[in-house]
Amino acid sequence: MMKLETDRLVITQFKESDKMTWSLIDSNPLIRKYLPGIPTKEESFDYIERSIISYNLNGFGRYAVRIRKTGELLGMCGFILEDYGIDFGYRYLPKYWGMGLGFEAARRVLDFGLATIQAKEIVALVLTENVASIKIIDKLKFSLVGKIKVGTYDNVLKYAMQMPLDPS
């Protein structure tokens, strides 16, 4: 079982018992502002299930991010295999925005991914209006690939990070 820690956070694989709390987080309109629609409870449950399956199938997934002192689930950060590649993403409860926790989790999870995922690159997609998320992606040193169209969105910025070459 994967477990990452920072001074303020504990990051682990999602568990079945996280589904209800995640569905409350994932249905928050502020969190979904730059994402398509509000998912149903079942869709949020499926999202967690998809990560649990991905841990076993791919060796990575989206991870549960918790406050170290209380164990409270504040969001997720991690990787998921999409048709366009390995996507890096994150979502956090609004009450924790602006505290540096998003970057703290993203830095730790990305470092873990760079060391363990066998892939040529990791991709991050973000809407041009999502300034806070762009700041995190820029601070993580992703490179801007360009603007793309995804579904009904024509204002998506695609970022990529090349994986380190295997020295052997």
Side-chain angles (χ1 to χ4, degrees):
M1 184 78 131
M2 185 281 285
K3 182 178 183 181
L4 305 173
E5 297 185 51
T6 71
D7 290 342
R8 301 181 291 173
L9 303 170
V10 175
I11 304 158
T12 61
Q13 294 175 347
F14 274 109
K15 307 176 297 240
E16 294 284 332
S17 59
D18 291 321
K19 285 181 175 179
M20 187 55 78
T21 304
W22 173 252
S23 72
L24 296 173
I25 293 169
D26 202 29
S27 63
N28 183 310
L30 289 174
I31 293 171
R32 301 298 303 191
K33 182 175 181 181
Y34 302 111
L35 296 165
I38 305 285
T40 64
K41 185 166 66 171
E42 292 73 25
E43 288 168 334
S44 290
F45 285 9
D46 287 348
Y47 189 85
I48 298 302
E49 200 57 46
R50 186 174 169 207
S51 271
I52 291 171
I53 291 167
S54 182
Y55 304 144
N56 298 318
L57 197 63
N58 302 311
F60 58 83
R62 301 285 204 211
Y63 301 109
V65 179
R66 300 175 198 285
I67 296 293
R68 187 183 187 103
K69 285 184 180 174
T70 64
E72 177 189 1
L73 181 64
L74 72 127
M76 72 78 189
C77 182
F79 313 92
I80 202 79
L81 187 59
E82 297 286 1
D83 56 1
Y84 53 83
I86 297 175
D87 180 83
F88 180 72
Y90 40 83
R91 287 181 223 148
Y92 306 107
L93 283 169
K95 73 179 185 176
Y96 292 108
W97 293 353
M99 301 173 148
L101 292 170
F103 177 76
E104 188 175 320
R107 173 80 275 156
R108 186 68 184 93
V109 172
L110 184 60
D111 287 347
F112 168 77
L114 291 171
T116 60
I117 294 174
Q118 302 296 311
K120 290 183 180 169
E121 73 174 8
I122 294 174
V123 175
L125 302 182
V126 61
L127 293 184
T128 55
E129 300 88 349
N130 193 345
V131 176
S133 193
I134 291 169
K135 282 182 185 175
I136 290 174
I137 291 168
D138 284 341
K139 206 170 171 185
L140 291 170
K141 307 277 191 254
F142 274 81
S143 298
L144 179 62
V145 176
K147 194 186 281 191
I148 62 170
K149 183 174 170 52
V150 177
T152 60
Y153 296 98
D154 60 1
N155 57 338
V156 177
L157 297 176
K158 179 180 180 180
Y159 289 83
M161 180 173 286
Q162 303 305 310
M163 301 300 275
L165 296 172
D166 186 1
S168 57

